[in-house]
Amino acid sequence: MGRVVLSVFTTLDGVIENPHEWAFGFVGEDSMQAGLDQIRVARALLLGRVTYEGFAASWPSMTDEVGYADAMNTLPKYVVSTTLTEAT
């Protein structure tokens, strides 16, 4: 049996919505390396509909020198949703 690892952008007061609006101004080398380490050992991604739709719209066209984009784009993605009708 595998394990589930939760990786969440959150503020100290518990806000998790719209991390693209606030989180990435605080990203440094240590947090980038931690994210890369996590994605390299992952076997799949479990996503909600909104996160999946955001990823599907942006990640396929992204590239980088360290391999994060390749790892993200090649991992199987499982989407938990009662409203998504098609995952491409």
Side-chain angles (χ1 to χ4, degrees), residues 16-77:
I16 62 171
E17 63 189 351
N18 300 321
H20 60 280
E21 293 179 4
W22 56 266
F24 299 110
F26 303 100
V27 173
E29 283 188 42
D30 289 345
S31 58
M32 292 298 288
Q33 186 61 50
L36 183 59
D37 293 346
Q38 285 179 344
I39 202 77
R40 283 186 173 157
V41 298
R43 294 192 180 150
L45 294 175
L46 178 63
L47 308 165
R49 179 189 55 83
V50 173
T51 302
Y52 168 75
E53 288 174 340
F55 280 15
S58 61
W59 276 104
S61 63
M62 289 191 184
T63 60
D64 64 78
E65 295 177 10
V66 297
Y68 190 92
D70 287 339
M72 180 70 81
N73 288 325
T74 58
L75 279 172
K77 290 149 188 85

